Amino acid sequence: MDSKKRSSVEAEGSKERGLVHVWQAGSCSLAPERLPGWGGKTVLQAALGVKHGVLLTEDGEVYSFGTLPWRSEPAEICPSNPILENALVGQYVVTVASGSFHNGAVTESGVVYMWGENSAGQCAVANQQYVPEPNPVSISDSETSSLLAVRILQLACGEEHTLALSISREIWAWGTGCQLGLITTTFPVTKPQKVEHLAGRVVLQVACGAFHSLALVQCLPSQDLKPVPERCNQCSQLLITMTDKEDHVIISDSHCCPLGVTLSESQVENQASTAISPSTETLDNQGEVFENTLVENDVPVATDATRGDAISSQQDIMGTTEISSARNTPSYPDTQAVNEYVQTLSDRSVRENSENGEKPMPSQPLVEEAVPNLHSPPTTSTSALNSLVVSCASAVGVRVAATYEAGALSLKKVMNFYSTAPCEPGTQAGSGSIGPEGLKDSREEQVKQESMQGKKSSSLVDIREEESEGGSRRLSLPGLLSQVSPRLLRKAARVKTRTVVLTPTYSGEADALLPSLRTEVWTWGKGKEGQLGHGDVLPRLQPLCVKCLDGKEVIYLEAGGYHSLALTAKSQVYSWGSNTFGQLGHCDFPTTVPRLAKVNSENGVWSVAAGQDYSLFLVDTEDFQPGLYYSGRQDPTEVDNLPENHSGTKTPVLLSCSKLGYISRVTAGKDSYLALVDKNVMGYIASLHELATTERRFYSKLSDIKSHILRPLLSLDNLGTASTVQLLQEVASRFSKLCYLIGQHGASLSSFLHGIKEARSLVILKHASLFLDSYTEQVSSPVSCSISAGLFCQGEQLLNQKRLD
């Protein structure tokens, strides 16, 4: 009897879940409408195209609505009610996707079905304009077994292409255009092919814009980083080149394969060179990234080229892994080789100076000072020299540090630093020695002059990038060691303590059950509106990592017509691409690099959707009922009532939808957008949203404490005795592990609200031991618990004070 009552209650509650409400894009004042002709079935997912859409119900059925020109029956081209896709009956579909004019569905067994327009091969059918009914797509991997079908987890559709994410976390693509990420110029591609450039990586999600693609990729563990080959696999050109100059060495690692630029052109890009000269720039504490200093007169031209833009090498290894591995290299290369190399440089310099009528500088004493006796006791200069060489090798990378040229370069820079200051006009070279302060002042003046000279000789693009703020730089371009300053010497001379990694390493069980926060964003396709996020408007044939999103903990991606959105675990949204109508949620420039959308300063965003020229943001509120913000195109009748920007919104506008219920998911198309709403049946839905909102807010606070207190605290030179430092490091490590787990759980709850919302499937209930073990470890030590509580209280006070300021 109890089971019958329970089933009747669940049936009654199901009628109040997954309710479909539709708005017209460009109209913020009109109230939403219920989808015409739709019955009472619970909808789990919806997808919208230009003039059509598909619905996925709780029982695995798929319905289509809108304008359907591919249907064979005239009455079904513009149906008044959503029509059932009979070809999918009995298959139990688990996810659906819509492109501009085609659709896709994935069944429980991992089989893909496609239907709709097929002019570009986006339905994986050859020589057919339309595919009227869902048609199964055969996907097989010839590397494993051509007879064994590849199972698919997720689909994403653009205007002329389709991407599929397999159960082995690999991407398969078909259709037409560079947005496929395939090495081919033959289109359309009607047989699904693997995107080889991301093979071996764990891809978490794919998204498609009109003509560009995005992928959310899990970061590689440090031990899995692959060595960089010497030559490009496609064009066999050297990936790194080195050229000797009079007083420096030009190192170029900016090789760009022609296949990574366009489909139709076979020209090779000019290689942008990095001139190594004195001064450094330090970014965040996870690693040092050195910006390239482009010297126009010193660029080695390896091949003919027709473009002047430099594209970063896709094989660069960035971050702390590169630095830590480089520190294992010897401080000195072979002594004899260094002597011979420096002597060659000195002889060349003397010969060229004599030809120009200049007085040469003595070289032999400098060589003796630069390369001391390795078997003698280390002096102060030798110790600092060793530290500097290690730091230089760390910044440049393993590939350069392994060469004699890079070692000699570092030695020569130190040699210049420890030698007497450059002679001023009218003074003698053999004058008295200069004190430390005088040496410091003269060296800083020299650094300033050389930096200004580098700006004069660099291109206009690089000057603009240096003058703009840090967020507008082309952070996706890799950096090399460009300059050496006294600040680097002082940093190298500090006493090194054990480094505490505030982002825990791969934890196995937690990462298998919960969403990973160690992610990267890779993009490819057409980029004329900056929708790829690489700081330029160039197309990319192969996936390229958006470097400035590294460490941002991106958990979800959305692609609009010509713009892109990235949602982070801290409930922030980064947006880039076309901003004609304000669809990015901000008015900052440039829009070719990701920037924070200015949705709501008090509450975080937990779900997003991107339409043709607008964006939707689902935001937490004080009463835990999600609020919906709209940003983008506005109809002419609407712009009189709202702040406009070329018939669009300047800032996201809050829609009036509080009476609808609890919005669980939003979907955007071209002319309309859709929300799935749940009624608060017996308080259950409200409790779920409260749990998810509280967990996300808690993680944001913990993250702020970690970045504003722990990181600056651990970077201090004097933290007390060794036992105190060790205790603080242990507390920081435990705190970071717990913080990361809470962030994962917050992201998991956001995904949970998109689905069926069965309490039995909550991770915190199914795998309670995972959370209990972490909490027990955090509070196992009374000292650790008291320090953590103190840090949390202090962090909360600082954050409140920051809000008041």
Side-chain angles (χ1 to χ4, degrees):
M1 186 66 182
D2 293 338
S3 60
K4 292 182 179 180
K5 288 184 178 180
R6 190 183 306 111
S7 60
S8 62
V9 171
E10 292 178 354
E12 183 68 23
S14 64
K15 296 181 181 179
E16 301 297 327
R17 299 184 191 177
L19 305 179
V20 183
H21 293 267
V22 181
W23 286 263
Q24 291 300 315
S27 177
C28 296
S29 60
L30 296 179
E33 300 177 352
R34 296 291 295 268
L35 183 64
W38 180 244
K41 288 191 175 183
T42 299
V43 177
L44 295 181
Q45 185 187 0
L48 296 176
V50 172
K51 295 182 179 180
H52 78 285
V54 294
L55 302 175
L56 174 62
T57 63
E58 190 175 21
D59 52 5
E61 295 179 339
V62 177
Y63 290 81
S64 299
F65 63 94
T67 303
L68 313 174
W70 50 85
R71 302 292 293 195
S72 56
E73 297 294 333
E76 297 178 346
I77 294 179
C78 294
S80 57
N81 301 328
I83 60 176
L84 176 65
E85 295 293 346
N86 294 314
L88 295 174
V89 173
Q91 297 294 333
Y92 197 83
V93 176
V94 294
T95 183
V96 293
S98 288
S100 297
F101 304 99
H102 71 292
N103 310 284
V106 180
T107 66
E108 189 177 26
S109 58
V111 179
V112 175
Y113 286 80
M114 302 295 301
W115 70 101
E117 184 175 320
N118 188 52
S119 58
Q122 58 265 52
C123 291
V125 178
N127 304 321
Q128 192 171 331
Q129 179 72 19
Y130 293 110
V131 179
E133 299 288 341
N135 181 66
V137 177
S138 175
I139 304 177
S140 60
D141 192 350
S142 58
E143 296 180 359
T144 57
S145 174
S146 58
L147 301 178
L148 187 62
V150 175
R151 295 181 61 186
I152 300 300
L153 291 176
Q154 185 219 339
L155 274 182
C157 301
E159 186 162 324
E160 296 182 344
H161 73 297
T162 303
L163 298 181
L165 179 61
S166 70
I167 196 172
S168 58
R169 299 295 178 177
E170 295 177 322
I171 301 178
W172 295 79
W174 58 91
T176 300
C178 59
Q179 61 269 25
L180 295 180
L182 304 176
I183 306 175
T184 181
T185 56
T186 304
F187 297 108
V189 176
T190 56
K191 180 178 175 54
Q193 297 184 21
K194 186 191 301 183
V195 180
E196 295 290 349
H197 198 76
L198 288 175
R201 302 295 301 269
V202 178
V203 181
L204 305 175
Q205 183 214 344
V206 290
C208 291
F211 298 99
H212 71 289
S213 303
L214 297 85
L216 187 64
V217 182
Q218 184 172 327
C219 294
L220 283 174
S222 57
Q223 64 270 18
D224 292 342
L225 291 176
K226 299 179 181 179
V228 179
E230 295 183 358
R231 294 182 178 272
C232 176
N233 294 330
Q234 306 300 328
C235 61
S236 299
Q237 296 182 19
L238 289 174
L239 295 178
I240 181 168
T241 59
M242 188 172 297
T243 306
D244 297 339
K245 291 295 181 181
E246 178 180 349
D247 58 348
H248 56 271
V249 177
I250 303 297
I251 300 174
S252 172
D253 72 335
S254 57
H255 164 74
C256 180
C257 182
L259 293 176
V261 181
T262 62
L263 288 173
S264 59
E265 298 177 358
S266 59
Q267 294 88 345
V268 180
E269 299 284 343
N270 277 341
Q271 291 186 339
S273 301
T274 303
I276 299 189
S277 55
S279 158
T280 48
E281 184 177 352
T282 306
L283 294 181
D284 57 43
N285 48 12
Q286 293 182 353
E288 296 183 9
V289 179
F290 296 83
E291 296 292 326
N292 291 357
T293 303
L294 302 181
V295 180
E296 195 170 11
N297 297 331
D298 294 334
V299 177
V301 179
T303 57
D304 295 334
T306 58
R307 296 179 184 265
D309 297 297
I311 302 178
S312 63
S313 171
Q314 300 178 7
Q315 292 80 12
D316 284 303
I317 301 177
M318 308 293 292
T320 56
T321 304
E322 175 182 337
I323 295 176
S324 61
S325 59
R327 285 175 182 166
N328 296 329
T329 58
S331 300
Y332 290 99
D334 183 70
T335 306
Q336 182 178 358
V338 171
N339 281 324
E340 294 176 356
Y341 185 80
V342 175
Q343 185 63 39
T344 303
L345 292 177
S346 302
D347 294 342
R348 184 183 305 174
S349 178
V350 170
R351 182 172 61 257
E352 294 180 355
N353 289 337
S354 61
E355 293 176 356
N356 297 331
E358 299 178 359
K359 183 178 179 180
M361 296 293 294
S363 59
Q364 185 61 30
L366 299 182
V367 174
E368 294 176 356
E369 185 176 2
V371 188
N373 185 3
L374 298 179
H375 301 285
S376 62
T379 61
T380 303
S381 299
T382 305
S383 177
L385 185 61
N386 284 328
S387 301
L388 179 64
V389 172
V390 174
S391 300
C392 293
S394 301
V396 176
V398 179
R399 292 174 295 171
V400 179
T403 62
Y404 290 139
E405 289 84 354
L409 170 65
S410 301
L411 293 174
K412 189 170 179 62
K413 290 299 177 184
V414 179
M415 172 185 66
N416 292 335
F417 181 81
Y418 281 103
S419 63
T420 57
C423 298
E424 298 292 332
T427 61
Q428 295 180 357
S431 59
S433 61
I434 302 176
E437 294 297 329
L439 179 60
K440 177 182 177 181
D441 295 339
S442 62
R443 186 60 182 170
E444 291 179 351
E445 182 66 21
Q446 181 182 356
V447 168
K448 184 177 180 181
Q449 293 178 359
E450 293 188 15
S451 179
M452 291 299 296
Q453 183 63 31
K455 283 188 176 183
K456 293 178 182 179
S457 60
S458 63
S459 65
L460 180 61
V461 174
D462 299 318
I463 293 176
R464 288 175 178 171
E465 289 174 3
E466 289 187 12
E467 291 177 349
S468 62
E469 62 182 3
S472 64
R473 296 190 179 189
R474 294 174 60 177
L475 296 181
S476 62
L477 298 180
L480 288 177
L481 176 64
S482 58
Q483 300 168 342
V484 178
S485 69
R487 184 174 63 178
L488 182 59
L489 276 177
R490 293 194 297 269
K491 184 172 183 179
R494 294 177 184 170
V495 178
K496 301 295 183 181
T497 58
R498 184 173 66 90
T499 302
V500 177
V501 181
L502 294 184
T503 300
T505 56
Y506 183 77
S507 57
E509 183 181 3
D511 280 352
L513 299 174
L514 297 169
S516 175
L517 306 187
R518 293 180 295 272
T519 56
E520 301 171 339
V521 177
W522 292 67
T523 62
W524 64 99
K526 296 183 179 179
K528 63 180 180 180
E529 298 291 342
Q531 62 265 44
L532 299 185
H534 301 303
D536 54 40
V537 294
L538 297 175
R540 299 294 195 281
L541 179 61
Q542 294 179 341
L544 182 64
C545 183
V546 182
K547 288 297 181 183
C548 56
L549 288 177
D550 287 354
K552 301 299 183 182
E553 298 181 344
V554 176
I555 58 175
Y556 185 72
L557 296 174
E558 270 283 331
Y562 299 94
H563 68 288
S564 306
L565 304 176
L567 176 65
T568 70
K570 289 174 145 183
S571 300
Q572 297 175 325
V573 178
Y574 287 85
S575 57
W576 62 97
S578 175
N579 200 28
T580 306
F581 302 102
Q583 57 262 49
L584 297 186
H586 61 75
C587 297
D588 298 334
F589 289 94
T591 61
T592 57
V593 292
R595 290 180 174 274
L596 278 175
K598 301 173 182 178
V599 181
N600 191 306
S601 58
E602 298 180 357
N603 300 307
V605 181
W606 65 275
S607 185
V608 294
Q612 180 75 13
D613 43 22
Y614 63 92
S615 300
L616 302 173
F617 307 94
L618 210 52
V619 179
D620 291 321
T621 59
E622 294 300 329
D623 59 355
F624 308 114
Q625 185 173 355
L628 182 59
Y629 281 79
Y630 176 94
S631 182
R633 171 171 56 89
Q634 288 293 320
D635 291 338
T637 56
E638 297 284 332
V639 296
D640 296 334
N641 303 324
L642 295 170
E644 70 278 0
N645 177 23
H646 297 292
S647 299
T649 59
K650 275 187 177 179
T651 57
V653 178
L654 178 63
L655 302 180
S656 178
C657 54
S658 59
K659 297 181 180 180
L660 299 180
Y662 287 79
I663 300 177
S664 61
R665 186 190 286 260
V666 288
T667 305
K670 180 183 179 182
D671 297 325
S672 62
Y673 54 95
L674 180 149
L676 300 182
V677 180
D678 300 324
K679 296 294 184 180
N680 188 20
V681 180
M682 302 177 63
Y684 175 67
I685 298 299
S687 300
L688 290 178
H689 280 272
E690 182 179 357
L691 173 63
T693 301
T694 304
E695 195 78 342
R696 288 190 293 263
R697 289 176 179 173
F698 187 45
Y699 177 66
S700 296
K701 284 189 176 182
L702 294 182
S703 298
D704 290 337
I705 293 174
K706 186 169 66 173
S707 59
H708 296 156
I709 297 179
L710 282 183
R711 289 190 188 278
L713 187 62
L714 293 174
S715 64
L716 295 178
D717 294 333
N718 299 319
L719 291 177
T721 62
S723 59
T724 303
V725 173
Q726 183 178 2
L727 178 60
L728 180 60
Q729 290 175 341
E730 182 180 355
V731 171
S733 177
R734 292 183 178 182
F735 180 85
S736 299
K737 183 177 180 180
L738 180 62
C739 177
Y740 186 81
L741 180 62
I742 292 174
Q744 286 183 297
H745 187 227
S748 174
L749 289 174
S750 298
S751 301
F752 176 80
L753 292 176
H754 293 326
I756 302 177
K757 293 177 278 293
E758 290 185 357
R760 292 172 296 180
S761 61
L762 282 171
V763 178
I764 197 171
L765 296 180
K766 293 178 63 177
H767 306 279
S769 60
L770 177 65
F771 296 87
L772 292 176
D773 293 343
S774 299
Y775 296 150
T776 303
E777 180 183 0
Q778 175 67 21
V779 301
S780 59
S781 171
V783 177
S784 174
C785 184
S786 61
I787 293 179
S788 300
L791 285 173
F792 181 79
C793 294
Q794 184 179 2
E796 191 169 13
Q797 293 175 2
L798 289 176
L799 294 177
N800 293 333
Q801 183 65 32
K802 191 174 182 181
R803 293 192 186 99
L804 293 176
D805 296 340

